[in-house]
Amino acid sequence: MKRFHMPTAYTILLGIVLVMVLLTWVIPAGRYDRTEDGRPIAGSYHRVEQSAQGLTSLVSAPVQGFYEGIDIAGFILAVGGFLGVISKTGAIDAGISALIRKLKGREGLLIPILMCVFTLGGTTFGMAEETIAFYPLVLPVMLAAGYDNVTAVSVILLGAGVGTLGSTVNPFATGIASGFAGVSLGSGLLLRVVILLVLLGLTIWYVLAYARRVKAEPGRSLTADLREEYLRHFIVAHEAEDVPLTARRKVALALFAATFLVMVYSVIPFDEMGLPLPTLGWWFPELAALFLGAAILTGLLCRQSEGEIVEGFVGGAEDLLGVAFIIGISRGITVVMNSGNITDTVLSLGEKALTGAGSLLFTLMVYLLYLPLSFLIPSSSGLATLSMPIMAPLADFAGVARELVVTAFQSASGLVNLITPTSAVVMGGLAIGHVPYDRWLRFSWKLLLWLAVVTLLLLAAGTIL
């Protein structure tokens, strides 16, 4: 009997697209009336003519999704090209070698430090798709330190993910949700800070415990059988050991670091956070241009020929082409739901389920309801826009502060977006890290259970106090 092998990310996502196509024949089509700015009006849901999608949507929806996500796909390809040019200089090899020598015997410090950095990005500006750019940097460092690719992926994915789960001033989750709920961004901040710190501590402990087991006994890695396969794709310690850190490579590393710092700064909405710093307001088109320009500048300053720059850029973009395709397919799921007019139907079921619940039960039910909703609508800003105008008014009838609904929403959305296959961030990160989706589930399910339980307890405390 042949051993079962988990399908690839592409097959899993296409399977979900097919399920959504079939559901458009089963789930009643409906819509909410909306205000001029597109907000659904609570209690206005009504049936519309069924818009069942044909099987051709299985191939047309991913294409449409790719068109809708072309800004992210372009950004990812530009990042890949930039990394390809940097790689040709040998700067990353030399930098990793120097880092490993400096942290000899203290590599474990990298995990909590990097996770705190990514969490800071998640909680302040909703760092998500931007993390794709960091995988090719963090993976070789973790592997060279004796850990596995699951550890490396978890540092980035869980680090930024827990930050988004415990968003404090993230304008794309907390900000939009608070605006639609009619409360200020600072309302409920104390509870969100407590959730952030408690869950971050729990997550760091979980990742460190796994990483130490793997380093002591590599055979206990969840991807031990794939070790040779993924090591071929990344720089490991013995390959970077004898690469000297020349002046030219130092220039390349400085440009590398500066590019990422500019990226992080450019997407932070300082004006919405009340900070006296200029807000650039860049997004994926500008970020893609940043990495393209940085690739050209790096090649010129490191005295690469025109052919070498092009070869490095195209080769690097090719490495991340599969991730760009994953983004298109995952967006196709939402395309099918919207075309079939079943997105609002799902929201209306939640509205009916929550009506009449008591304060404590209402808060916990909101959290539990947002779990499946976040699976169907992985975009936190999109889910907030669609659902918060409906959920927030219901809180008034239940005697619950609206900011608790915002916190419950972002906590549930953040939890689901750590594992959902409908998220391009999850599937893209796993694809770059060469971590099969089933191995990620085996690694993370216990942690997610703990995060959910602790979050529910903290939400209950916030409702009572």
Side-chain angles (χ1 to χ4, degrees):
M1 182 181 292
K2 290 186 177 180
R3 184 179 176 185
F4 172 77
H5 291 284
M6 189 73 177
T8 64
Y10 306 99
T11 303
I12 292 173
L13 291 172
L14 282 174
I16 295 173
V17 172
L18 176 60
V19 170
M20 290 303 162
V21 168
L22 297 176
L23 287 178
T24 62
W25 289 79
V26 178
I27 297 177
R31 289 178 183 168
Y32 280 97
D33 293 332
R34 281 172 161 73
T35 59
E36 291 183 359
D37 57 2
R39 302 186 189 187
I41 300 172
S44 68
Y45 173 81
H46 57 279
R47 293 282 301 275
V48 297
E49 184 179 350
Q50 200 71 21
S51 303
Q53 301 297 291
L55 288 178
T56 55
S57 296
L58 186 60
V59 289
S60 64
V63 174
Q64 182 63 34
F66 189 84
Y67 272 95
E68 293 185 4
I70 194 65
D71 53 349
I72 302 177
F75 164 69
I76 288 173
L77 294 178
V79 170
F82 171 68
L83 293 172
V85 173
I86 288 285
S87 180
K88 269 190 167 295
T89 68
I92 294 179
D93 303 59
I96 289 171
S97 178
L99 181 63
I100 296 303
R101 284 196 300 269
K102 183 168 289 189
L103 290 175
K104 194 69 174 177
R106 297 177 295 155
E107 295 90 347
L109 292 175
L110 282 172
I111 294 175
I113 291 173
L114 289 176
M115 290 188 74
C116 286
V117 170
F118 286 117
T119 296
L120 184 61
T123 194
T124 53
F125 65 92
M127 193 177 199
E129 288 89 351
E130 300 90 343
T131 60
I132 297 292
F134 291 94
Y135 283 94
L137 172 64
V138 174
L139 273 156
V141 174
M142 288 290 134
L143 298 179
Y147 304 117
D148 67 351
N149 55 337
V150 176
T151 304
V153 169
S154 65
V155 165
I156 302 175
L157 186 54
L158 294 180
V162 168
T164 304
L165 189 162
S167 294
T168 50
V169 292
N170 168 16
F172 305 112
T174 313
I176 291 175
S178 296
F180 283 134
V183 297
S184 71
L185 185 59
S187 299
L189 182 61
L190 179 59
L191 177 60
R192 296 199 295 270
V193 170
V194 172
I195 290 175
L196 174 68
L197 295 178
V198 173
L199 298 192
L200 175 60
L202 178 60
T203 305
I204 290 176
W205 169 82
Y206 188 88
V207 174
L208 277 174
Y210 172 81
R212 287 166 180 163
R213 287 199 304 271
V214 169
K215 187 167 186 177
E217 300 178 55
R220 298 183 69 180
S221 166
L222 290 173
T223 54
D225 59 320
L226 305 173
R227 183 172 177 81
E228 292 303 319
E229 176 187 333
Y230 67 71
L231 282 180
R232 284 197 300 268
H233 294 82
F234 305 109
I235 303 169
V236 291
H238 66 81
E239 294 175 324
E241 216 164 30
D242 299 321
V243 180
L245 190 59
T246 62
R248 191 175 298 177
R249 286 172 177 150
K250 288 180 180 178
V251 170
L253 284 177
L255 285 171
F256 182 85
T259 302
F260 279 91
L261 288 174
V262 171
M263 181 194 77
V264 171
Y265 179 90
S266 67
V267 297
I268 299 178
F270 295 107
D271 52 350
E272 295 182 22
M273 297 164 61
L275 297 176
L277 292 171
T279 298
L280 297 180
W282 289 5
W283 206 226
F284 292 114
E286 294 86 358
L287 295 178
L290 167 67
F291 279 97
L292 174 59
I296 296 172
L297 182 60
T298 300
L300 293 175
L301 291 181
C302 292
R303 298 182 183 179
Q304 292 180 355
S305 68
E306 177 267 343
E308 287 176 324
I309 296 174
V310 172
E311 181 184 355
F313 191 89
V314 172
E318 182 182 355
D319 289 340
L320 295 185
L321 185 60
V323 179
F325 284 136
I326 281 176
I327 288 171
I329 299 174
S330 63
R331 287 290 183 97
I333 297 167
T334 304
V335 169
V336 171
M337 291 183 64
N338 291 338
S339 299
N341 287 318
I342 63 174
T343 302
D344 284 5
T345 301
V346 174
L347 289 175
S348 73
L349 294 175
E351 180 183 3
K352 293 176 182 176
L354 293 173
T355 303
S359 59
L360 179 58
L361 181 61
F362 176 87
T363 304
L364 300 183
M365 285 181 65
V366 166
Y367 178 83
L368 295 175
L369 178 65
Y370 269 118
L371 294 177
L373 285 178
S374 299
F375 176 83
L376 296 172
I377 309 172
S379 168
S380 58
S381 56
L383 182 55
T385 302
L386 286 170
S387 65
M388 201 53 62
I390 301 167
M391 298 299 182
L394 294 177
D396 300 336
F397 296 104
V400 174
R402 290 191 174 194
E403 55 264 28
L404 271 174
V405 177
V406 173
T407 303
F409 145 74
Q410 69 175 44
S411 299
S413 174
L415 183 77
V416 171
N417 281 329
L418 296 177
I419 60 164
T420 177
T422 62
S423 168
V425 176
V426 173
M427 303 308 284
L430 295 181
I432 296 174
H434 293 263
V435 177
Y437 184 66
D438 61 321
R439 311 294 176 92
W440 180 249
L441 292 180
R442 286 169 56 189
F443 167 76
S444 60
W445 74 268
K446 289 183 181 178
L447 173 64
L448 265 63
L449 185 60
W450 277 108
L451 294 179
V453 170
V454 173
T455 301
L456 282 170
L457 291 173
L458 291 173
L459 285 172
T463 305
I464 296 170
L465 298 178

